[in-house]
């Protein structure tokens, strides 16, 4: 079983920090490369760059929750949820179709679904 995990390209779990500006404040986010790749894919689906997507996610999370405890962890969960929803057929796997406007996705409140 572990071979499917341990044979992963080490470049995927190498972490890298990116600096970006959120509403005039320069900040740095450190994620593993695989998460940066998924965020880039999500951004491209909606004709954004990764920084624009991160800013949009930040703004929407603040509007919905009022605060952010761990934004890097939130971004990782976004990536896993994105891939999980595609596997479950909740969102299309056609990467040319935007995600904006999808509101009929069931909320996930417990555990991790794959």
């Amino acid at each position: 079983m572990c071979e499917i995990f341990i044979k992963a390209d080490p470049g995927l779990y190498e972490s890298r920090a990116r600096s970006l500006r959120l509403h005039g404040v320069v900040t740095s986010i450190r994620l593993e490369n695989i998460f940066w790749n998924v965020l880039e894919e999500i951004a491209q689906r909606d004709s954004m760059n990764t920084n624009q997507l991160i800013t949009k996610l930040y703004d929407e999370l603040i509007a919905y929750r009022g605060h952010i405890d761990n934004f890097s962890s939130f971004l990782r969960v976004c990536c896993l949820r994105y891939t999980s929803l595609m596997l479950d057929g909740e969102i299309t796997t056609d990467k040319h179709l935007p995600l904006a406007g999808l509101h009929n996705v069931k909320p996930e409140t417990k555990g991790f679904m794959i």
Side-chain angles (χ1 to χ4, degrees):
M1 173 192 99
C2 292
E3 282 189 30
I4 63 173
F5 302 113
I6 63 170
K7 289 184 178 178
D9 177 359
L12 294 174
Y13 53 86
E14 179 180 300
S15 66
R16 134 176 83 111
R18 285 192 184 179
S19 292
L20 61 125
R21 187 176 299 271
L22 288 172
H23 303 294
V25 177
V26 176
T27 189
S28 180
I29 298 173
R30 178 172 292 282
L31 297 172
E32 294 74 19
N33 287 330
I34 194 167
F35 293 114
W36 288 119
N37 295 345
V38 174
L39 288 171
E40 183 178 344
E41 180 179 305
I42 295 169
Q44 287 177 351
R45 287 185 72 151
D46 285 292
S47 302
M48 290 185 265
N49 64 42
T50 306
N51 287 0
Q52 290 169 321
L53 172 67
I54 289 170
T55 299
K56 184 172 181 61
L57 289 169
Y58 178 87
D59 291 345
E60 290 183 7
L61 184 59
I62 288 292
Y64 188 74
R65 298 270 181 221
H67 71 285
I68 298 172
D69 291 327
N70 188 330
F71 191 56
S72 293
S73 291
F74 170 76
L75 292 174
R76 287 183 186 93
V77 169
C78 288
C79 293
L80 292 172
R81 183 153 164 74
Y82 168 75
T83 55
S84 177
L85 289 168
M86 281 198 306
L87 288 171
D88 290 345
E90 295 286 324
I91 59 175
T92 181
T93 58
D94 184 346
K95 295 175 184 163
H96 295 97
L97 295 177
L99 298 176
L102 291 178
H103 299 291
N104 296 329
V105 176
K106 63 184 171 196
E108 187 177 321
T109 56
K110 290 191 235 174
F112 179 72
M113 298 169 25
I114 287 196

